[in-house]
Amino acid sequence: MYDGPVIDAFFHPGWAATTPDTFGDRDSWLSDPMRSRVMRTFQQGGDEPKTAEASLADTIGEMDRAGVELAVFQASLYYSTDRQGLENRVEEHVDAIKQYPDRFRHAGTILPPRQGPGTYWDVMENPRILEEHKEKYGIEGIHILPSPWGTPPNDKWFWPLFAKCVELDLWVFSYVGMPGPLWPTYPNYPLHLDDVCIAFPELKIAAHHIGDPWVSMMTHLAAKHPNLYICTSAWSPKRYPKELLEFMGGKWHGQAGADKVIFGTDYPLLNLEKSVADARALDLPDEVLEKFLYGNMKRLLEG
């Protein structure tokens, strides 16, 4: 069993926040009829939430017990907001990184389409923001959310953004697969990423949440495109689909699947210590687990 260090590639601050300006405000999740379904799924609501509220120091303690050397914050904005709302999300990460600079790295996000799909007002606004945020906040990637934004990643609205990511050497984490909240599914269809990878072959993309129920398609796409990866965020290792495990253990189109899958929990939605322990216990060779739990994301972070 692999017992070396772990990088959690999909991480958020814990449920200690008290305002809607931060990710971990449980009340805002429970009051949203679209997102509350996820809170029930992960047992985060009600009288006995699965994951208790945690201070940043508590989170570091959990990371230490699980052997998580580094966690990568992924900023999330589900609905249209103003510029200050975006700044709040990224500054939440920066505040944590300042306290524990050796334990966290982070990706920013962007202002969602102002009027839903088909709106092309000032498509250069977000590329300018990315340039500023890399300089000001040290972001290393961005997180996009096609489903709640109603806009698939191959929509031309994203293309100036992807060009800027290539220019700035920022990787992209894109939500794929059936959304847990009551958001539209079509924008999360993994095949949309085929267009993006062909148009931007240098762009490093990680498709998070595995892509279920299109896992087989997602593994074929990751094998096809050298810079496309799969991240296991929000999936318990005991529930990983067999198509994903077969891909990790073998080669498709001459591409070793072990090199293309990245571990992530979506903490605090999943219990960190249990998820890491279950991942270490997967029936895969240690060299595969080392790449999955550590090496692949380390390579992305190192550029």
Side-chain angles (χ1 to χ4, degrees):
M1 184 176 74
Y2 172 73
D3 61 0
V6 173
I7 295 176
D8 190 334
F10 207 92
F11 209 81
H12 306 282
W15 299 114
T18 56
T19 73
D21 292 334
T22 52
F23 175 84
D25 178 42
R26 188 185 274 123
D27 289 345
S28 68
W29 280 72
L30 292 170
S31 64
D32 182 340
M34 290 180 282
R35 287 191 292 167
S36 61
R37 177 179 180 271
V38 167
M39 300 298 276
R40 292 195 301 273
T41 299
F42 290 100
Q43 300 175 34
Q44 299 293 349
D47 297 329
E48 297 181 1
K50 186 175 181 180
T51 302
E53 291 190 1
S55 68
L56 190 55
D58 293 333
T59 295
I60 291 293
E62 291 181 61
M63 292 170 62
D64 288 342
R65 290 190 295 274
V68 176
E69 177 183 286
L70 187 70
V72 183
F73 289 133
Q74 304 280 349
S76 300
L77 281 174
Y78 302 111
Y79 307 122
S80 293
T81 187
D82 58 16
R83 180 65 185 271
Q84 187 57 55
L86 173 60
E87 299 292 319
N88 291 341
R89 278 291 193 268
V90 181
E91 287 173 355
E92 179 185 15
H93 297 170
V94 173
D95 290 343
I97 291 168
K98 285 179 178 177
Q99 295 180 60
Y100 297 95
D102 297 329
R103 305 305 298 273
F104 300 113
R105 308 276 278 272
H106 73 138
T109 191
I110 55 175
L111 291 172
R114 294 180 184 277
Q115 296 171 302
T119 176
Y120 297 106
W121 168 254
D122 195 4
V123 293
M124 291 305 297
E125 180 180 26
N126 277 311
R128 295 187 191 101
I129 289 172
L130 285 189
E131 195 156 14
E132 179 181 327
H133 280 194
K134 181 172 184 178
E135 176 69 24
K136 182 178 179 181
Y137 298 126
I139 64 169
E140 298 179 70
I142 66 164
H143 176 209
I144 64 172
L145 296 108
S147 177
W149 299 350
T151 308
N154 61 347
D155 191 284
K156 62 186 179 183
W157 185 85
F158 282 104
W159 287 39
L161 185 80
F162 294 148
K164 180 58 70 172
C165 287
V166 172
E167 178 187 328
L168 298 176
D169 194 25
L170 298 173
W171 33 263
V172 174
F173 268 62
S174 178
Y175 190 0
V176 293
M178 184 71 70
L182 297 176
W183 295 326
T185 301
Y186 173 76
N188 274 11
Y189 189 45
L191 193 57
H192 298 313
L193 293 176
D194 190 47
D195 295 339
V196 179
C197 292
I198 289 171
F200 301 93
E202 300 167 75
L203 182 64
K204 300 179 183 73
I205 304 171
H208 70 86
H209 294 3
I210 292 179
D212 180 77
W214 303 286
V215 179
S216 180
M217 177 188 293
M218 195 62 248
T219 58
H220 280 75
L221 288 170
K224 175 181 178 181
H225 296 292
N227 286 320
L228 179 61
Y229 298 82
I230 302 169
C231 179
T232 62
S233 54
W235 276 78
S236 166
K238 288 188 174 181
R239 301 290 184 182
Y240 289 168
K242 63 179 178 61
E243 298 97 329
L244 180 73
L245 295 172
E246 289 172 358
F247 178 61
M248 292 169 68
K251 289 187 176 182
W252 294 38
H253 305 291
Q255 172 68 62
D259 295 331
K260 303 305 294 290
V261 185
I262 295 169
F263 176 72
T265 62
D266 214 351
Y267 174 91
L269 291 173
L270 287 187
N271 181 282
L272 184 63
E273 294 178 64
K274 184 177 188 306
S275 296
V276 173
D278 290 345
R280 292 185 188 278
L282 290 172
D283 187 18
L284 291 167
D286 280 2
E287 58 268 25
V288 171
L289 291 174
E290 187 279 335
K291 291 179 178 181
F292 166 53
L293 288 168
Y294 187 77
N296 292 338
M297 190 63 204
K298 183 78 167 178
R299 189 170 67 249
L300 274 186
L301 290 169
E302 291 175 348

